[in-house]
Every structure is written in structure tokens, then in C-alpha cells.
Amino acid sequence: MDKLWDLADQVTNRCHDLGIHFEAPGAPVNRKKGIPLASFDPTSDEDARLLKHVPEPGKGPEARKAAIGVRHDENGCGAWKPCTVVARLGNTLTVEWPEDRARESLARIFVIFWDEDWDRAVSRLSGAVSGRSKAESFLRYNLYIDNMPVDGNPELTDLQVGRIKASAMNTVRLQEQNGQDTVLGILGEVSDEYN
């Protein structure tokens, strides 16, 4: 058990190095609303090996694989703690916490097996946090742009149309094709979006 606590400490320190702080309830990694963090977890080739002997609930005897997982308290603060993986359903693992024998379902990204490359697992977690942040930023930006008021906006000036046309024709392939249809399509789309 001491080895698992040492692993939990190493993982916590590496997470801190990467700017991931489970201790803060409002931290992006602890957020339950929005897009689930597990959606940005790329599956690893190692997962097939690690999950091979972890059965689905009711399909064979429970597995008992040593691991660490993120356990949240009542305030939403998380910490890496030793646990035992007993079952899985897809990418959701059922873990048992040794201190109170409670069971909880965790997304695969929040569990690191004892025999797993923990540095790679933390990198996956960091990539997922970053990917979700970028996706949410992109969605907020597009929501903002799509909901901008269009009333009272002036028509595009000849100078603006000329810059759009020059930019659209700024590829060799379009210049060779004399992409008039393409330019007119782009101008129509910009004009519709602009007005």
C-alpha cells in the first residue's frame, strides 16, 4: 500500500508541474459540467493490455487490480489515492477505496494502474484537459460570433471586397483556374454572414 501512496505523490507532483490541480474545487480538471473530460482521452495501446483482465460487472469474478484514482471530497476537491479496480464498463472503471470499502465509478482517465506507465498517463490527462479547454473556447467563440447582432451593419465596401477577392485568389491553383465562381461564392457567403 505504501508503494501506491508513493505513486500517488509522484503523480500529484507531475500534475502540478503540468498545471493540473485537483485540490482546487473550481479547477478545470474537477469541473463536472460541460463536455466530459473523458471525451478527450485518446485510447492508448496499453489500455488493451491493462483492461484485458478487468471484466464487466456480472461477467465473471471481480478483478482486483492495484491502482490509484482521483477521489473527490464533498467540497469537490480531488486527490490521487490508492484504490482497487474491480470491474469496468467500457471506459468507466469501478474502483474500491480501501479506507472505507466504498465503490465508485471513475472514467478511465482518472485511474492509473500500478503496472502502467504513469508519466504517459499523466500526459494523456494533461492533453485531455488542454483539448477540452480549446474545444470549449472554440465553441464559446463561435457562439459569440453566431449571436452577434447584424442590424445596422453597413454593406461591404469595394475595398473590403477587393481584399477578400485578393485573399481568395491567393493560391496558385485558384489563379490557374481563374476561380471566378469560387470568389463569387466566397463573397456571397461573407456578405450573407456580414449583413
Side-chain angles (χ1 to χ4, degrees):
M1 185 61 80
D2 288 340
K3 289 180 180 180
L4 287 175
W5 279 109
D6 290 342
L7 176 60
D9 288 341
Q10 289 175 327
V11 168
T12 299
N13 291 335
R14 181 69 177 127
C15 284
H16 285 178
D17 292 345
L18 295 172
I20 302 170
H21 301 280
F22 285 97
E23 303 82 25
V29 74
N30 288 332
R31 195 175 55 237
K32 303 289 185 212
K33 294 181 180 176
I35 305 170
L37 195 58
S39 301
F40 296 92
D41 179 21
T43 54
S44 144
D45 295 336
E46 195 176 18
D47 274 1
R49 178 185 66 81
L50 292 168
L51 299 175
K52 181 178 179 181
H53 299 293
V54 181
E56 292 184 5
K59 294 187 178 179
E62 286 186 342
R64 307 240 10 122
K65 288 192 68 134
I68 60 171
V70 176
R71 189 168 196 191
H72 290 89
D73 63 15
E74 63 278 352
N75 298 321
C77 300
W80 289 98
K81 295 186 174 190
C83 63
T84 303
V85 176
V86 295
R88 73 177 171 101
L89 188 57
N91 274 344
T92 302
L93 304 175
T94 302
V95 300
E96 183 176 278
W97 305 105
E99 63 255 18
D100 59 4
R101 310 296 278 175
R103 290 188 175 195
E104 182 179 355
S105 293
L106 292 177
R108 168 66 179 99
I109 197 165
F110 295 120
V111 176
I112 300 176
F113 290 97
W114 170 248
D115 57 346
E116 180 175 4
D117 179 351
W118 65 266
D119 197 45
R120 185 182 304 166
V122 172
S123 294
R124 281 173 57 182
L125 176 63
S126 176
V129 170
S130 176
R132 179 174 70 178
S133 177
K134 288 176 185 174
E136 288 174 341
S137 177
F138 177 77
L139 291 170
R140 276 192 301 275
Y141 171 79
N142 281 316
L143 181 66
Y144 177 77
I145 295 297
D146 288 346
N147 289 295
M148 288 180 72
V150 293
D151 296 338
N153 284 347
E155 293 288 322
L156 291 174
T157 66
D158 290 337
L159 182 61
Q160 290 169 322
V161 170
R163 284 196 312 239
I164 292 170
K165 188 174 181 180
S167 180
M169 292 298 291
N170 199 15
T171 65
V172 175
R173 185 170 172 227
L174 283 177
Q175 288 173 351
E176 288 172 356
Q177 295 176 351
N178 193 18
Q180 193 62 28
D181 293 337
T182 305
V183 172
L184 292 176
I186 290 172
L187 287 175
E189 185 176 328
V190 167
S191 184
D192 289 344
E193 291 291 325
Y194 186 75
N195 291 323

